[in-house]
Amino acid sequence: MTWIVLCLIVIALAFLFYASYSIRSGFYLKAVCKISAFGGKTVALTYDDGPDDLSTLPLLNVLLKHNVKACFFCIGKKAEQFPEVVRKMIIDGHIVGNHSYIHATCFPLYGKRRMTDDLLKTQRILEDISGCNISLFRPPYGVTNPTIASAVATLGLKTIGWSLRSFDTQCKTADEVLERIKRKLKPQDIILLHDRMPFAAELTDKLLIYLKENGYTVKELEINDF
């Protein structure tokens, strides 16, 4: 009997770990992780951890060249440092979302008040800079839990996850990331990328060429769609 109880405890803990660290599980917090509502060979590009004055601006130029819109989940402190980059995102027609104030490792461990204050601070910073209503959110590291779900509900934010993680932060070159994306790519994917990476512009340029050559359309994430 003891072994059965122990096994059940282990299984329960494993499930709770999966539920927290897999944003696609939807256990604690419902997140949009695919754009299946639009159908066809469509994908969406999303970028985390910006803005960055060195890598984001070249990336925006690439997106402009291809006439493609993306969604940028910005860190509040970085937005304060580089407000002109956030403004260019808006001028170019991109969507800006909330990615917390400093992207702290311990963010999932914050209490409800501290977490809500963090997200509200970031929201106000982004809204002041962009002049737009900020309603989309992506949790740091994609981690979810009851506290994050409660804070998001309090602020009325809509959570966007992903279905294809590029692992660009763990690769050394744009080509290495591109090959991974090619292997994993499926219609209706929301692709997770990071505009802080030095090869973000190069990677995006090559990715958009590949998508076009293979009949894919990049869908703009529109707030009213969710």
Side-chain angles (χ1 to χ4, degrees):
M1 188 69 176
T2 303
W3 283 106
I4 295 175
V5 173
L6 182 60
C7 287
L8 290 174
I9 292 173
V10 171
I11 292 171
L13 290 175
F15 174 78
L16 292 175
F17 179 85
Y18 166 77
S20 291
Y21 283 88
S22 174
I23 195 167
R24 286 180 285 176
S25 73
F27 184 74
Y28 295 116
L29 178 64
K30 183 179 179 181
V32 176
C33 295
K34 298 200 76 171
I35 55 172
S36 54
F38 306 115
K41 292 185 72 172
T42 57
V43 296
L45 302 185
T46 63
Y47 296 87
D48 287 6
D49 296 0
D52 185 278
D53 63 332
L54 296 179
S55 57
T56 306
L57 288 175
L59 167 61
L60 290 172
N61 290 334
V62 167
L63 292 171
L64 186 62
K65 180 182 75 172
H66 289 274
N67 192 29
V68 164
K69 303 296 186 292
C71 187
F72 289 85
F73 291 95
C74 297
I75 295 173
K77 188 173 183 179
K78 288 187 175 182
E80 287 180 316
Q81 294 174 312
F82 310 113
E84 70 285 352
V85 182
V86 177
R87 292 191 190 101
K88 180 167 173 53
M89 292 175 183
I90 299 300
I91 291 171
D92 288 354
H94 304 294
I95 299 295
V96 170
N98 189 329
H99 200 43
S100 82
Y101 183 66
I102 61 171
H103 202 287
T105 304
C106 59
F107 179 84
L109 303 179
Y110 285 178
K112 169 71 180 298
R113 172 179 283 186
R114 183 179 180 185
M115 187 175 291
T116 303
D117 288 346
D118 179 290
L119 296 181
L120 183 58
K121 180 179 182 178
T122 304
Q123 187 170 340
R124 287 172 174 167
I125 289 169
L126 294 174
E127 289 181 344
D128 287 346
I129 293 171
S130 68
C132 300
N133 177 51
I134 303 299
S135 62
L136 300 186
F137 167 68
R138 175 171 282 166
Y141 310 104
V143 175
T144 62
N145 60 35
T147 306
I148 294 175
S150 181
V152 167
T154 297
L155 297 176
L157 298 171
K158 301 173 184 178
T159 304
I160 305 298
W162 60 82
S163 56
L164 199 168
R165 185 178 179 184
S166 68
F167 284 98
D168 52 350
T169 59
Q170 300 178 30
C171 297
K172 295 181 179 180
T173 67
D175 289 335
E176 186 179 350
V177 183
L178 182 61
E179 288 306 311
R180 171 181 168 75
I181 294 175
K182 288 180 181 179
R183 291 195 303 271
K184 301 290 184 177
L185 185 66
K186 300 181 298 298
Q188 290 91 52
D189 271 335
I190 294 179
I191 304 174
L192 168 62
L193 301 152
H194 294 81
D195 54 311
R196 65 178 172 84
M197 300 306 294
F199 51 70
E202 177 191 358
L203 170 61
T204 299
D205 190 42
K206 292 180 176 181
L207 174 58
L208 291 174
I209 292 171
Y210 174 81
L211 291 172
K212 184 176 180 180
E213 290 177 345
N214 288 271
Y216 280 87
T217 299
V218 179
K219 178 68 174 67
E220 177 182 357
L221 288 181
E222 298 177 0
I223 294 173
N224 293 331
D225 289 332
F226 307 108

